[in-house]
């Protein structure tokens, strides 16, 4: 079974802090993704990566950056956290670039910015 | 207009009922259609996927796609309390070798024993 592990289940941070969300997958998948999930808005893609040291912007990249130094690890960085970044963050991986390649999700990190 | 629209519910039905979950979409380029299930405090997991119009069955679940109407449905027969979850539709297309997947808002479903 593919396992995608997000390092924190809950995080509480203050406005202006730099925040790191970590994600590790154990199935040697090439592709990794960061989504945020908000009520009424569904899942929205923040950033994704098809290879080590490679990153592409998703639909809502503003205020975020990412790092992929190793194939199994994909980090989401909030450079200066703001209250509108309070959300559930979901990391996912997939084995192929094709649109029908299933996403395997972690269990999410619920971030609260006060 | 959102590319994918899904009734957020919540939807509450008695055990054994037939459940119908629906999504509409506006982008005729979508090639793949998926349903993900998300239990409380868990990440979504792929339930079904199809790429053509018509029906696809998997046990008690049937995914239906109507490309001419830009409408997809998930039917659950003999619903069980363990089916209580949020169901997300997702539509995918390849653009210049890159994968684009768009999710619906999710429908929260409760099956009452």
């Amino acid at each position: 079974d593919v396992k995608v592990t997000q390092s924190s289940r809950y995080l509480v941070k203050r406005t202006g802090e730099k925040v790191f969300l970590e994600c590790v997958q154990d199935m040697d998948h090439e592709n990794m993704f960061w989504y945020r999930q908000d009520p009424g808005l569904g899942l929205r893609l923040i950033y994704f990566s098809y290879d080590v040291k490679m990153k592409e912007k998703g639909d809502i990249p503003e205020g975020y950056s990412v790092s992929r130094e190793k194939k199994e690890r994909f980090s989401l960085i909030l450079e200066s956290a703001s209250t509108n970044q309070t959300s559930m963050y979901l990391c996912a991986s997939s084995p192929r670039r094709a649109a029908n390649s299933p996403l395997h999700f972690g269990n999410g990190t619920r971030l609260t910015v006060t | 207009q959102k590319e994918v629209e899904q009734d957020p519910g919540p939807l509450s039905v008695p055990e054994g009922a037939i459940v119908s979950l629906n999504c509409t979409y506006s982008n005729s380029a979508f090639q793949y259609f998926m349903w993900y299930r998300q239990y409380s405090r868990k990440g979504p997991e792929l339930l079904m996927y199809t790429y053509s119009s018509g029906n696809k069955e998997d046990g008690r679940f049937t995914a239906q796609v109507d490309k001419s109407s830009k409408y997809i449905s998930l039917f659950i027969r003999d619903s069980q309390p363990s089916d209580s979850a949020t169901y997300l539709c997702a539509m995918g297309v390849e653009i210049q070798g890159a994968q684009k997947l768009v999710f619906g808002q999710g429908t929260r479903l409760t099956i009452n024993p």
Side-chain angles (χ1 to χ4, degrees), chain A residues 65-113:
Chain A
S65 63
V66 290
S67 173
R68 193 164 181 203
E69 296 296 319
K70 293 185 178 181
K71 191 175 184 179
E72 68 271 18
R73 187 179 296 270
F74 194 35
S75 302
L76 180 69
I77 304 156
L78 286 67
E79 295 290 343
S80 178
S82 63
T83 54
N84 63 12
Q85 292 178 310
T86 291
S87 185
M88 172 68 83
Y89 289 88
L90 290 162
C91 175
S93 70
S94 72
R96 303 181 304 276
R97 291 182 70 162
N100 65 342
S101 180
L103 296 179
H104 299 266
F105 286 90
N107 287 330
T109 295
R110 183 165 294 281
L111 173 67
T112 301
V113 182

Side-chain angles (χ1 to χ4, degrees), chain B residues 18-23 33-35 37 47-50 52-66 71-79 83 87 89:
Chain B
I18 296 174
V19 177
S20 171
L21 305 169
N22 309 297
C23 289
F33 306 91
M34 305 173 189
W35 286 94
R37 178 175 60 194
L47 187 59
M48 294 188 73
Y49 112 81
T50 184
S52 59
S53 282
N55 293 349
K56 181 177 181 179
E57 277 192 32
D58 184 0
R60 296 184 295 109
F61 297 88
T62 299
Q64 183 179 80
V65 175
D66 183 345
Y71 191 89
I72 72 170
S73 298
L74 178 71
F75 298 98
I76 307 174
R77 292 187 301 277
D78 188 24
S79 56
D83 296 327
Y87 289 80
C89 63

Side-chain angles (χ1 to χ4, degrees), chain A residues 24-73:
Chain A
V24 177
Q25 51 95 2
D26 66 358
M27 281 302 290
D28 203 34
H29 284 176
E30 292 185 5
N31 313 319
M32 297 190 74
F33 307 82
W34 276 106
Y35 288 87
R36 63 178 283 178
Q37 185 174 29
D38 300 287
L41 297 176
L43 273 69
R44 293 180 290 167
L45 181 63
I46 305 171
Y47 266 97
F48 60 98
S49 170
Y50 286 146
D51 202 351
V52 175
K53 297 192 185 294
M54 177 270 183
K55 61 184 178 184
E56 292 285 348
K57 292 180 180 179
D59 299 319
I60 51 164
E62 296 78 19
Y64 303 95
S65 63
V66 290
S67 173
R68 193 164 181 203
E69 296 296 319
K70 293 185 178 181
K71 191 175 184 179
E72 68 271 18
R73 187 179 296 270

